[in-house]
Amino acid sequence: MEVINKMRLSFPSLSQNESFARQSVAAFALQAGDWTLVEMDEIMTAVSEAVTNAIIHAYEEVVGEIHIHASILTGNGIEIVVEDNGIGIADIEQAMEPLFTTKGEQERTGMGFSFMESFMDRLSVSSAVGKGTKVRMVKWLAISPADESV
Amino acid sequence: MQINLETRGHVLIVRLSGELDHHTAESLRIAIEKELDRDIVSSVLLNLNELTFMDSSGLGVILGRYKRLSQVEGRMAACCLNPHVERIFKLSGLNSIMGIYPTEKLALAQL
């Protein structure tokens, strides 16, 4: 798996940055190939979930930096990494359980990781308490039967 | 995100256009809560025809209002969902607790 192109985006953990972040990644993702409209929505939603998690959970009372690294992969794929240097996750397995949330009183559904898992082909999370969290996602363009015959 | 509100009898019609995410969810919560506080409507219809984006934050604000309405036996429905928004509703199970309709007219007939 080789990297054809990559980009890096950094911005403060403010909610007004959620929209441009997901749209920037989607625009970059077009370099991997002709995603369907639904696939573009899936990529944007997955990025939005990861970025929103960082904004809400990583930096509680302060504003920190969120870094997105995206890479176009050979074979029509995109790798997206959303990283923060915030408080980290003590129990990653628990955090990724569907419907688990530490902010229920803020009307959080706890579905963020479930959505990332449903909409992307690979999802992995690494974190260290007090150091930060890194969410890595990969998505491949679906090959249509017509392409496979070539 | 633009929020257009219309009261028709006992139903509050909420028409959204633009993007519903964590950043814009609070404004939707406040707008609906303000109308519900007036004690005029008992049902809410969300018209998502012009919604271009929604993530789980949008589900959270919708679910929160559903819970409030349920407490007073009010009802909630949604109409005019695009394929991606409909998928999100299904993934979350929201489609099993509120009616989803292709048009505003069909939705209003049920509320």
Side-chain angles (χ1 to χ4, degrees), chain A residues 29-87:
Chain A
L30 287 170
Q31 291 188 28
D34 292 330
W35 306 94
T36 62
L37 290 175
V38 169
E39 285 171 326
M40 291 294 277
D41 276 333
E42 290 175 344
I43 292 170
M44 282 199 280
T45 305
V47 171
S48 195
E49 299 294 346
V51 168
T52 300
N53 275 355
I55 289 170
I56 290 174
H57 299 286
Y59 303 108
E60 301 218 282
E61 303 293 310
V62 299
V63 175
E65 283 286 293
I66 296 174
H67 309 281
I68 299 182
H69 307 256
S71 307
I72 304 297
L73 310 171
T74 50
N76 307 106
I78 182 164
E79 177 192 69
I80 301 163
V81 177
V82 179
E83 191 171 7
D84 65 71
N85 307 115
I87 61 173

Side-chain angles (χ1 to χ4, degrees), chain B residues 29-42:
Chain B
R29 186 188 71 77
I30 290 170
I32 298 181
E33 288 291 309
K34 191 172 160 188
E35 286 305 310
L36 294 180
D37 285 343
R38 293 170 69 209
D39 276 331
I40 294 171
V41 298
S42 57

